[in-house]
Amino acid sequence: MKQAMVVCHRGASLWAPENTLASLEKAIEMGAEAVELDVRPSRDGILYVMHDATVDRTTNGSGRISDLTSAEIDALDAGIWFGPDFAGEQVPRLDRFLDACKGRIATYVEIKDGDPGEVRDMLAVRGMLSEAWTFSFDQAIRAEARAKVPDLRRMVLFIHVGSVDRAVAQEAQILEFHEDNLSADLVTAAKQAGLITQMFYSGNDRTVFEKALRCGVEQMNIDQVEVFRSVERELFQTA
């Protein structure tokens, strides 16, 4: 077994408001090697780090982010919903978020909406392409990224491709598994095909983390960082 890379899902989102600079700083403080972030554009085309299509859940505002101007989004409070200590936290613009990541932590950019070429260029100008990768649930965005920005590493989900061979055929570099489709044989096959293996798991079941480690998953996209590291330490001590 080897120590897995921890990817903090939406930053350290159990300790600070998700997809904010506060959650990024906490992820770095906790020793995460990468941060997962979500990207959407404002009405005037500024890319922001935001998961939902609307700002209702994670800010003091309301409405679709695509209907709001950057000035309106900049004025929102993205921290008070999480707790009073985070009052005044902003919805970060992608450029500011990447500036805070540069040289400190790798980035996994999930493009909810927006131009993958713009995301690629923002990473490239900061010298961050080699440690970054991207994914989108939008099939059109995935196709655009594959066609237009081949130097931006791309991830595919096993639930989408159904096999290691199809992941390779789609020229992906990273293959992500979930709890119900993870197996040691698949992880081994993916590695032999030159793919990086990743698992997404939002829960805290120690047996799931143990299975991932025993299967040899290289990257863990998770919320429960402390639980995972605890399981990892226990396995290494008994190995």
Side-chain angles (χ1 to χ4, degrees):
M1 288 183 293
K2 293 183 179 180
Q3 190 174 38
M5 171 190 283
V6 165
V7 183
C8 265
H9 181 233
R10 307 182 198 173
S13 56
L14 299 181
W15 293 267
E18 66 180 59
N19 278 323
T20 63
L21 291 175
S23 67
L24 168 63
E25 292 300 328
K26 185 63 179 179
I28 293 171
E29 178 187 323
M30 295 178 74
E33 291 87 358
V35 61
E36 185 268 350
L37 59 138
D38 304 283
V39 171
R40 293 181 181 275
S42 64
R43 192 175 77 192
D44 49 342
I46 302 298
L47 289 176
Y48 280 88
V49 180
M50 169 72 69
H51 178 274
D52 296 3
T54 71
V55 300
D56 300 50
R57 181 176 64 88
T58 57
T59 79
N60 62 340
S62 64
R64 296 182 64 84
I65 189 167
S66 58
D67 292 334
L68 300 173
T69 66
S70 53
E72 290 170 325
I73 297 168
D74 289 342
L76 297 175
D77 188 317
I80 190 65
W81 69 273
F82 191 89
D85 291 345
F86 297 98
E89 193 75 25
Q90 289 184 301
V91 180
R93 295 185 179 207
L94 179 58
D95 57 0
R96 185 181 177 199
F97 196 95
L98 293 181
D99 286 341
C101 292
K102 182 180 177 180
R104 305 170 73 203
I105 193 168
T107 51
Y108 160 27
V109 184
E110 182 183 326
I111 306 174
K112 295 291 188 184
D113 189 16
D115 177 5
E118 184 177 359
V119 172
R120 179 262 176 213
D121 291 347
M122 292 175 75
L123 289 162
V125 77
R126 292 168 173 81
M128 297 171 65
L129 266 184
S130 63
E131 293 187 333
W133 67 98
T134 189
F135 169 73
S136 180
F137 279 99
D138 186 314
Q139 186 175 357
I141 292 175
R142 294 200 305 270
E144 186 178 5
R146 180 182 177 187
K148 295 184 177 180
V149 285
D151 58 345
L152 175 55
R153 294 191 299 164
R154 290 177 300 103
M155 187 186 83
V156 294
L157 306 189
F158 189 82
I159 57 171
H160 288 165
V161 296
S163 71
V164 171
D165 287 344
R166 288 194 65 190
V168 173
Q170 291 189 18
E171 301 175 339
Q173 288 78 38
I174 300 168
L175 179 59
E176 183 175 82
F177 298 95
H178 294 104
E179 176 187 1
D180 58 355
N181 57 34
L182 178 71
S183 73
D185 287 346
L186 283 172
V187 170
T188 298
K191 290 179 178 179
Q192 290 174 345
L195 297 168
I196 296 169
T197 56
Q198 180 169 299
M199 180 181 181
F200 171 71
Y201 178 58
S202 60
N204 63 358
D205 187 334
R206 298 176 71 88
T207 63
V208 174
F209 287 139
E210 181 175 346
K211 179 183 178 181
L213 288 165
R214 292 193 183 279
C215 286
V217 173
E218 296 158 285
Q219 300 180 176
M220 295 294 295
N221 182 19
I222 55 176
D223 298 319
Q224 298 281 353
V225 177
E226 291 181 331
V227 177
F228 173 74
R229 286 302 194 199
S230 172
V231 172
E232 192 175 52
R233 284 193 299 270
E234 289 178 6
L235 286 182
F236 274 94
Q237 288 169 2
T238 58

